[in-house]
């Protein structure tokens, strides 16, 4: 009798489990039960179809039931919803939604890949308001058709995570003026706020209005059927809009797991072991609905990304086939395009470290060019690197910049995977041609700066210490030229250009620390070396005035917009 594997849910987790298992076992019966009309589609491409970057909807469909049958001999049943699981009988009850008929299906092993669903709170006044969420192709079609039929002028995106900002960009591509409402004081909560400020600036430069630190209280329909819909915020603002995209987060779709008694976390995620097995050894789970291990800390975490879901599916399939492979954990490597900027990250951010009570870390900032500056169209990459002060092990990195930003984060993610240190970044040999990078790549530069800190060759200070230092009357020196100093500097800084530094040493106190800055931190590092060898006690501002300026960019509380900044060149 053939072994039967039943998989609930397709897309990244379920489909990858099925395909991998078939490659390992030609003779088992594999059944995928998918409650929707599509078993395998490009979730991450959905916003770009709405923005008409992807012109043909058919390109979003990666695999059809017919192709699964042809290539893999897998029985895919779309529009078949599992309504319950009987663990004792090892059966699932299924509703064929096309014909309205229920049936029972037995399994030898069961795989849960239910994914997650958008959070949709019951805000007051929602009825009759064109409010959309984005999870699948039918959702995409609803938004696309609404735009085609109604030609909206304005849109409001509620929530500024990855999907929210992808929708911001793609609605803007359609000529729609977009406002963003976010309860937190920043977009992209997986970034540290000073790095998110680069994204804020890019959004504002593209005419996106940001309303941060203000949640949604409800909605209003136009009086008498004329005028625009209104979003009412918790602070009392009334924001006129033609449509609303609700993107405030997701929750695991784990009611089946709960109902059949599988072990879940307090937030409802399925608990699995390193083999992707649930508390029932005959049931596996993969994808957005499971809790996994953070590779760096070893602690439980949630990483609802396509890459991890695919790997989890592969691990589950291996174990179903008798191969005792293990899932090592996830580090949360991700990338996002926001207009002309690439936003990428990997590993832990500072907020996570603080919440975990981890204090033995340091951070540095660098702003190198994405390729040789003499080659046309070089763009800056602003990067934050976080590392363990005990051994230099890399804990995380964030970057915002031009083309190639994601490549640098991928390199750092690879080093993290091998438990590498900042010293490893120094020594990496990476591709170089002037149109692709520099002889000393951005990753090398981050390694050089961090390694200098680890070896004690440079003492650093941070942008958020500036106010305290000014209040204490500390000596802060801007080593740029007078023209750049006049355009903006750290408050309280005196200007001693680096070319005059050796002749003006008598103006600098030797009996106290001296805090240096330039625009990016490089020229002030050269000044640091000079002062250090002359017997001074200098500190260098990591990331320079550039990180201070963007981090302290203030929001105009009256209109909810950030004022764009323009930093002079170094």
């Amino acid at each position: 009798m053939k072994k039967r594997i039943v998989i609930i849910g397709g897309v990244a987790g379920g489909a990858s489990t099925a395909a991998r298992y078939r490659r390992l076992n030609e003779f088992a019966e594999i059944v995928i039960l998918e409650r929707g009309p599509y078993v395998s589609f490009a979730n991450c491409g959905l916003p770009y179809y709405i923005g008409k970057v992807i012109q043909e909807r058919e390109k979003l469909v990666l695999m059809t039931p017919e192709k699964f049958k042809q290539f893999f001999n897998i029985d895919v049943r779309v529009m078949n919803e599992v309504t319950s699981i009987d663990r004792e009988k090892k059966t699932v009850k299924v509703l064929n939604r096309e014909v309205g008929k229920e049936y029972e299906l037995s399994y030898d092993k069961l795989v849960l890949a239910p994914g997650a669903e958008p959070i949709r709170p019951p805000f007051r006044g929602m009825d009759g308001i064109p409010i959309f969420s984005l999870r699948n192709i039918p959702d995409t079609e609803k938004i696309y058709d609404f735009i085609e039929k109604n030609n909206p002028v304005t849109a409001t995106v509620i929530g500024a995570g990855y999907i929210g900002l992808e929708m911001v960009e793609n609605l803007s591509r359609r000529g729609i003026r977009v406002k963003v409402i976010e309860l937190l004081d920043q977009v992209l909560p997986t970034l540290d706020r000073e790095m998110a400020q680069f994204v804020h600036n890019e959004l504002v430069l593209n005419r996106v209005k940001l309303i941060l630190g203000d949640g949604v209280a409800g909605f209003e329909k136009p009086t008498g059927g004329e005028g625009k819909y209104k979003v009412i915020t918790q602070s009392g603002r009334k924001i006129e809009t033609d449509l609303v995209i609700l993107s405030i987060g997701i929750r695991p779709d784990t009611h089946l797991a709960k109902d059949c008694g599988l072990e879940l976390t307090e937030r409802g995620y399925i608990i699995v072991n390193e083999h992707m097995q649930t508390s029932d050894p005959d049931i596996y789970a993969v994808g957005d609905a499971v809790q996994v291990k953070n590779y760096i800390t070893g602690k439980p975490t949630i990483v609802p990304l396509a890459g991890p879901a695919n790997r989890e599916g592969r691990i589950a399939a291996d174990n179903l086939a008798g191969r005792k492979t293990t899932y090592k954990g996830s580090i949360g490597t991700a990338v996002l395009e926001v207009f002309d900027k690439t936003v990428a990250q990997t590993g832990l951010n500072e907020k996570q470290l603080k919440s975990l009570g981890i204090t033995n870390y340091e951070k540095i900032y660098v702003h190198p060019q994405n390729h040789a500056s003499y080659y046309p169209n070089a763009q800056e990459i602003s990067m934050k690197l976080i590392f363990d002060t005990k051994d230099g092990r890399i804990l995380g990195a964030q970057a915002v910049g031009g083309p190639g930003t994601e490549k640098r984060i991928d390199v750092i993610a690879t080093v993290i995977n091998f438990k590498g240190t900042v010293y490893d970044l120094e020594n990496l040999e990476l591709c170089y041609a002037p149109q692709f990078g520099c002889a000393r790549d951005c990753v090398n530069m981050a390694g050089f700066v961090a390694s200098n800190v680890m070896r004690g060759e440079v003492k650093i200070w941070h942008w958020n210490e500036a106010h305290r230092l000014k209040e204490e009357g500390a000596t802060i020196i801007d080593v740029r030229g007078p023209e750049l100093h006049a355009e903006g500097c750290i408050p309280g800084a005196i200007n001693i250009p680096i070319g005059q530094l050796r002749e003006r040493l008598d103006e600098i106190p030797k009996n106290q620390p001296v805090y240096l800055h330039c625009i990016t931190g490089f020229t002030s590092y050269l000044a640091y070396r000079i002062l250090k060898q002359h017997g001074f006690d200098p500190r260098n501002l990591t990331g320079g005035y550039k990180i201070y300026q963007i981090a302290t960019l203030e929001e105009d509380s009256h209109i909810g917009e950030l004022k764009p900044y323009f930093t002079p060149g170094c």
Side-chain angles (χ1 to χ4, degrees):
M1 186 175 179
K2 285 185 177 180
K3 184 178 182 180
R4 178 184 287 165
I5 307 297
V6 174
I7 301 172
I8 302 175
V11 200
S16 62
T17 304
R20 170 67 173 172
Y21 185 69
R22 173 57 77 217
R23 292 194 295 272
L24 299 176
N25 188 330
E26 173 64 17
F27 304 104
E29 181 183 358
I30 305 173
V31 182
I32 299 179
L33 301 170
E34 169 57 52
R35 68 182 175 187
Y38 303 96
V39 65
S40 180
F41 59 91
N43 307 62
C44 300
L46 301 180
Y48 301 95
Y49 173 69
I50 294 169
K52 292 191 173 181
V53 177
I54 298 171
Q55 297 283 335
E56 301 170 27
R57 188 189 62 80
E58 291 71 23
K59 290 187 175 180
L60 298 173
V61 181
L62 304 178
M63 285 287 285
T64 62
E66 293 76 20
K67 286 183 178 179
F68 265 111
K69 187 66 176 177
Q70 178 184 357
F71 288 102
F72 298 104
N73 191 27
I74 292 172
D75 180 6
V76 175
R77 305 178 190 180
V78 296
M79 301 300 291
N80 277 246
E81 181 177 4
V82 175
T83 57
S84 65
I85 300 168
D86 188 324
R87 290 167 51 194
E88 288 189 10
K89 293 171 57 181
K90 297 183 72 170
T91 62
V92 295
K93 190 173 289 185
V94 188
L95 171 65
N96 185 322
R97 299 173 64 189
E98 288 185 313
V99 298
K101 185 177 179 181
E102 269 194 338
Y103 63 94
E104 199 170 73
L105 183 68
S106 65
Y107 65 84
D108 293 296
K109 299 289 183 182
L110 183 67
V111 180
L112 304 181
E117 57 187 359
I119 295 173
R120 194 178 173 92
F123 295 119
R124 60 180 170 83
M126 293 180 74
D127 291 345
I129 306 291
I131 300 174
F132 302 94
S133 296
L134 185 61
R135 180 179 187 257
N136 50 38
I137 291 179
D139 292 341
T140 307
E141 291 171 334
K142 289 176 185 176
I143 299 170
Y144 188 97
D145 291 344
F146 181 89
I147 294 172
E148 290 290 300
K149 292 175 183 176
N150 296 278
N151 296 312
V153 175
T154 59
T156 301
V157 175
I158 300 172
Y162 275 66
I163 294 175
L165 292 193
E166 286 171 344
M167 284 303 302
V168 167
E169 181 178 13
N170 283 286
L171 291 170
S172 297
R173 283 193 174 108
R174 298 292 298 267
I176 301 170
R177 296 199 305 272
V178 185
K179 295 178 182 176
V180 177
I181 301 175
E182 170 56 56
L183 181 61
L184 300 177
D185 64 350
Q186 67 169 86
V187 303
L188 298 175
T190 54
L191 294 181
D192 288 319
R193 192 178 189 280
E194 74 275 19
M195 297 303 293
Q197 286 278 73
F198 288 104
V199 185
H200 297 163
N201 190 66
E202 182 68 12
L203 290 165
V204 171
L205 290 173
N206 284 277
R207 301 181 63 195
V208 175
K209 293 188 177 182
L210 294 177
I211 300 169
L212 303 175
D214 198 358
V216 172
F219 300 88
E220 283 184 5
K221 286 183 283 193
T223 305
E226 295 185 2
K228 292 181 179 291
Y229 305 101
K230 292 184 178 67
V231 183
I232 314 301
T233 72
Q234 293 175 1
S235 68
R237 295 180 186 179
K238 293 190 175 184
I239 299 160
E240 293 188 341
T241 191
D242 294 317
L243 79 147
V244 175
I245 303 294
L246 194 58
S247 182
I248 60 175
I250 58 173
R251 59 185 165 211
D253 187 2
T254 52
H255 65 280
L256 288 172
K258 180 180 179 181
D259 291 345
C260 75
L262 294 180
E263 189 177 356
L264 306 180
T265 70
E266 289 184 2
R267 295 174 58 196
Y269 287 89
I270 302 170
I271 296 174
V272 294
N273 63 18
E274 60 185 359
H275 306 299
M276 307 312 299
Q277 271 178 313
T278 68
S279 53
D280 183 327
D282 290 323
I283 302 178
Y284 293 72
V286 298
D288 293 355
V290 305
Q291 175 184 268
V292 294
K293 180 176 69 175
N294 183 286
Y295 180 76
I296 299 171
T297 66
K299 297 182 181 296
T301 189
I302 305 301
V303 185
L305 296 170
N310 274 280
R311 293 199 307 279
E312 290 159 14
R314 186 179 179 91
I315 297 297
D318 281 358
N319 284 278
L320 286 167
R323 300 186 177 192
K324 293 298 181 183
T325 54
T326 59
Y327 188 71
K328 306 296 184 184
S330 180
I331 57 176
T333 306
V335 64
L336 172 72
E337 177 187 74
V338 181
F339 295 100
D340 293 328
K341 296 296 184 185
T342 301
V343 184
Q345 63 184 98
T346 189
L348 301 169
N349 59 41
E350 268 198 274
K351 290 179 289 188
Q352 290 171 310
L353 289 167
K354 290 175 181 177
S355 69
L356 292 169
I358 298 173
T359 58
N360 55 303
Y361 71 89
E362 186 56 276
K363 63 198 175 191
I364 59 94
Y365 305 87
V366 292
H367 308 278
Q369 301 292 300
N370 65 340
H371 61 66
S373 58
Y374 61 80
Y375 192 88
N377 302 317
Q379 296 183 41
E380 189 174 81
I381 297 176
S382 291
M383 183 183 297
K384 177 178 183 176
L385 183 70
I386 307 174
F387 51 96
D388 192 313
T389 52
K390 293 183 297 185
D391 54 12
R393 182 181 173 190
I394 300 167
L395 301 175
Q398 303 159 46
V400 182
T405 298
E406 77 292 341
K407 167 190 168 183
R408 275 57 184 221
I409 292 297
D410 280 341
V411 170
I412 295 174
T414 304
V415 175
I416 290 175
N417 186 65
F418 291 104
K419 303 186 185 298
T421 69
V422 297
Y423 308 116
D424 295 313
L425 299 188
E426 282 187 299
N427 296 312
L428 286 177
E429 184 176 333
L430 304 171
C431 289
Y432 165 61
Q435 64 270 50
F436 298 110
C438 300
R440 294 185 299 178
D441 190 80
C442 307
V443 172
N444 298 133
M445 292 300 297
F448 294 151
V449 175
S451 296
N452 281 344
V453 172
M454 284 296 299
R455 296 186 183 107
E457 293 176 5
V458 63
K459 294 179 182 179
I460 58 175
W461 65 289
H462 292 288
W463 64 269
N464 55 355
E465 298 178 76
H467 179 74
R468 174 180 62 80
L469 292 174
K470 179 186 176 183
E471 293 296 313
E472 293 174 355
T475 301
I476 305 173
I477 301 175
D478 179 0
V479 299
R480 298 172 296 162
E483 298 84 5
L484 295 180
H485 176 77
E487 291 184 20
C489 66
I490 301 294
I494 59 175
N495 185 213
I496 304 179
I498 190 169
Q500 303 174 17
L501 192 60
R502 292 179 178 88
E503 289 72 39
R504 297 175 62 179
L505 294 176
D506 58 348
E507 300 177 31
I508 305 171
K510 273 193 173 181
N511 59 349
Q512 65 185 47
V514 177
Y515 298 87
L516 306 172
H517 86 80
C518 64
I519 189 66
T520 64
F522 177 68
T523 302
S524 52
Y525 172 66
L526 301 179
Y528 179 99
R529 300 309 307 166
I530 294 170
L531 292 181
K532 184 69 175 176
Q533 294 176 73
H534 279 276
F536 293 88
D537 184 17
R539 310 280 195 278
N540 188 29
L541 176 60
T542 182
Y545 180 62
K546 188 180 292 291
I547 195 66
Y548 171 84
Q549 188 181 32
I550 192 71
T552 57
L553 194 65
E554 292 184 357
E555 183 184 359
D556 186 322
S557 61
H558 298 292
I559 58 175
E561 295 183 42
L562 289 166
K563 300 174 182 177
Y565 86 108
F566 299 90
T567 300
C570 184

